[in-house]
Amino acid sequence: MESQFQFDWQAAINAIPFLLEGIPYTLMISFGGLLIGFVLGIFFGLLSINKLWFLKWPATAYIEIFRGTPILVQVLFIFYGLPDLIGTSINPFTAGIAAIALNSGAYISEVVRGGVQSIDKGQNEAGLSLGLSRTQTFWSIIWPQAFRRMVPPLGNQAIVSIKDTSLFSVIGVGELVRQGQIYIATTFQAFEVYFMVALMYLAITFSLSLILRFVERRGLVSV
Amino acid sequence: MTDIVKMKGMNKYFGNLHVLKDIDLTVSQGEVVVIIGASGSGKSTLIRCVNGLEEFESGHLEVDGHPLAPKSGNPKALAEIRKEVGMVFQQFNLFPHLTVKKNIMLAPKKVKDAPETVANATAERLLNRVGIGDQADKYPSHLSGGQQQRVAIARALAMEPRLMLFDEPTSALDPEMIGEVLDVMRELAKEGMTMMVVTHEMGFAREVADRVIYIHEGQIVEQGKPDDVFDNPQNERTQAFLSRVLAH
């Protein structure tokens, strides 16, 4: 059977305003989740380098659990499962932010660990030999250098997390994909609408890539 | 004269490896002690024990009146010692994310709460003293190895140390840059700084040292005035070592 398909530009353009309504949710869940994920990542990443087993072990468990299970399962668990435990329902938006936060936090922990461990131990020795405490040495010498090395993998994680939010259409968050699905339910023009959805993700992630490239070029002058 | 460093019966192990064996050593104020020996003999480990970068397993170590317990059991003393003891490393270990001047200002500001203006003035004075006052606002990676090591010396001096440790300060340098670093060290020695220097620069040792110590397999095998050790070594290990390093 020969395809009679013709791309309907008008339909694609008509879908834009409705799809755009999903973008604030996509962005808020992504960046809200990533912000919390960054805090979790610093916290658990630093714990995971610690020599004390009772600090290291919980951090390692957290990282393994949230890296080792699909984010789709995580968000379903938070949205449908957790309410049974805590006795109150969780709105989809909050569940989405929580899933991005916990999931990206696990990956960012590994980024933090790798960044910190990549700094030459001579830097630590130089700080200590000058009389700085371990804490001062870490925050004024090790961390600033480690953070610069963390920028590219953090950017990578941000792009992954932005795309991960598309899965949250399953719990009914009105993000980009969900908006697309609703629109298609009335127009049946899946090709045009998903094409526009894909284009909008690309616009977000590509802008982020450009910003990151700029930051890297400026931030990595001396290291 | 007061003794700044007192080691008595100090032992240090890396796992099963006995790296320092019953070390007895005192360093008086103003003295320049140069430690020589083959690589792996324990000479770097010895001076790294003085500011607690290495722990030791048994014996006594006292630095400027602060006793350090084995297994770094005395963190307060360690903190005091590190404020009073400067160290210069083989690989410079400058902070690459800070300008030369900020490298020098960091410790006075963080450890001594020095005001910005005071730390700044100190940094400029020290940079001039080591001959690179015009490089203050550059990053370390833009400096030559010799210049970087001079910055590292200035950085340690900014804490006004009572003792300076040098761990093979010229070993990572291109030959033409060794002289400029040794010149700075020579000046320091002349001004009366107490120094413990691990080096392979035998000419420097002979000229600047008050005492030369030869370490072999973790033990002090021979020590004395440079002329005695170099021209008339008593121990056959020392003789063998010197004939190897002085041959070329």
Side-chain angles (χ1 to χ4, degrees), chain A residues 120-134 136 140-142 144-145 148 221-223, chain B residues 48 51 53 82-83 85-87 89 93-98 103 106-107 110-111 139 141 155-156 159:
Chain A
D120 184 78
K121 74 174 171 54
Q123 292 290 306
N124 195 46
E125 292 184 347
L128 296 179
S129 77
L130 285 166
L132 272 70
S133 68
R134 290 195 168 277
Q136 287 174 325
S140 51
I141 298 168
I142 309 298
Q145 296 181 57
R148 289 176 194 200
V221 183
S222 62
V223 181
Chain B
R48 286 164 58 85
N51 67 348
L53 289 184
R82 284 176 175 167
K83 281 185 213 168
V85 178
M87 186 165 203
F89 300 87
N93 296 348
L94 293 178
F95 308 132
H97 63 301
L98 300 177
N103 261 272
L106 182 70
K110 294 272 176 195
V111 181
Y139 283 91
S141 59
R155 181 177 68 177
M159 288 296 287

Side-chain angles (χ1 to χ4, degrees), chain A residues 170-181:
Chain A
V170 298
I171 57 167
V173 182
E175 47 69 67
L176 199 40
V177 168
R178 178 76 178 173
Q179 290 295 103
Q181 288 171 334

Side-chain angles (χ1 to χ4, degrees), chain A residues 154-167:
Chain A
L154 283 176
N156 196 42
Q157 182 56 45
I159 288 171
V160 169
S161 290
I162 289 167
K163 293 183 296 175
D164 279 348
T165 60
S166 65
L167 295 164

Side-chain angles (χ1 to χ4, degrees), chain A residues 66-116:
Chain A
F66 284 92
R67 278 198 321 169
T69 55
I71 189 168
L72 181 58
V73 175
Q74 290 163 15
V75 78
L76 290 173
F77 187 83
I78 292 166
F79 185 65
Y80 292 111
L82 262 194
D84 290 348
L85 181 73
I86 61 177
T88 167
S89 66
I90 299 171
N91 75 55
F93 182 75
T94 310
I97 287 191
I100 292 291
L102 289 165
N103 185 269
S104 70
Y107 285 96
I108 293 170
S109 298
E110 286 293 274
V111 170
V112 168
R113 186 184 60 78
V116 170

Side-chain angles (χ1 to χ4, degrees), chain A:
Chain A
M1 203 178 88
E2 208 173 301
S3 169
Q4 297 291 311
F5 182 74
Q6 271 247 311
F7 191 89
D8 183 351
W9 279 106
Q10 196 52 53
I13 290 162
N14 288 345
I16 290 175
F18 191 76
L19 295 179
L20 282 178
E21 286 174 33
I23 286 189
Y25 289 97
T26 295
L27 291 180
M28 279 191 289
I29 295 173
S30 303
F31 289 105
L34 281 164
L35 205 67
I36 303 169
F38 186 56
V39 176
L40 291 175
I42 293 175
F43 184 73
F44 286 108
L46 296 183
L47 286 189
S48 76
I49 316 173
N50 210 289
K51 286 191 188 92
L52 301 170
W53 68 269
F54 56 89
L55 296 177
K56 185 192 177 104
W57 194 85
T60 310
Y62 160 73
I63 294 166
E64 292 303 328
I65 289 168
F66 284 92
R67 278 198 321 169
T69 55
I71 189 168
L72 181 58
V73 175
Q74 290 163 15
V75 78
L76 290 173
F77 187 83
I78 292 166
F79 185 65
Y80 292 111
L82 262 194
D84 290 348
L85 181 73
I86 61 177
T88 167
S89 66
I90 299 171
N91 75 55
F93 182 75
T94 310
I97 287 191
I100 292 291
L102 289 165
N103 185 269
S104 70
Y107 285 96
I108 293 170
S109 298
E110 286 293 274
V111 170
V112 168
R113 186 184 60 78
V116 170
Q117 287 181 335
S118 75
I119 303 301
D120 184 78
K121 74 174 171 54
Q123 292 290 306
N124 195 46
E125 292 184 347
L128 296 179
S129 77
L130 285 166
L132 272 70
S133 68
R134 290 195 168 277
T135 314
Q136 287 174 325
T137 301
F138 182 80
W139 290 113
S140 51
I141 298 168
I142 309 298
W143 179 256
Q145 296 181 57
F147 184 74
R148 289 176 194 200
R149 293 188 189 180
M150 284 158 48
V151 169
L154 283 176
N156 196 42
Q157 182 56 45
I159 288 171
V160 169
S161 290
I162 289 167
K163 293 183 296 175
D164 279 348
T165 60
S166 65
L167 295 164
F168 303 162
S169 56
V170 298
I171 57 167
V173 182
E175 47 69 67
L176 199 40
V177 168
R178 178 76 178 173
Q179 290 295 103
Q181 288 171 334
I182 295 169
Y183 194 78
I184 291 164
T186 56
T187 68
F188 304 108
Q189 286 177 301
F191 193 102
E192 285 80 358
V193 176
Y194 281 134
F195 179 82
M196 292 312 285
V197 167
L199 216 55
M200 285 182 187
Y201 277 112
L202 196 60
I204 297 170
T205 55
F206 188 63
S207 317
L208 186 62
S209 289
L210 290 179
I211 293 168
L212 284 164
R213 233 168 278 176
F214 178 74
V215 170
E216 273 172 48
R217 215 173 300 146
R218 282 202 29 187
L220 292 170
V221 183
S222 62
V223 181

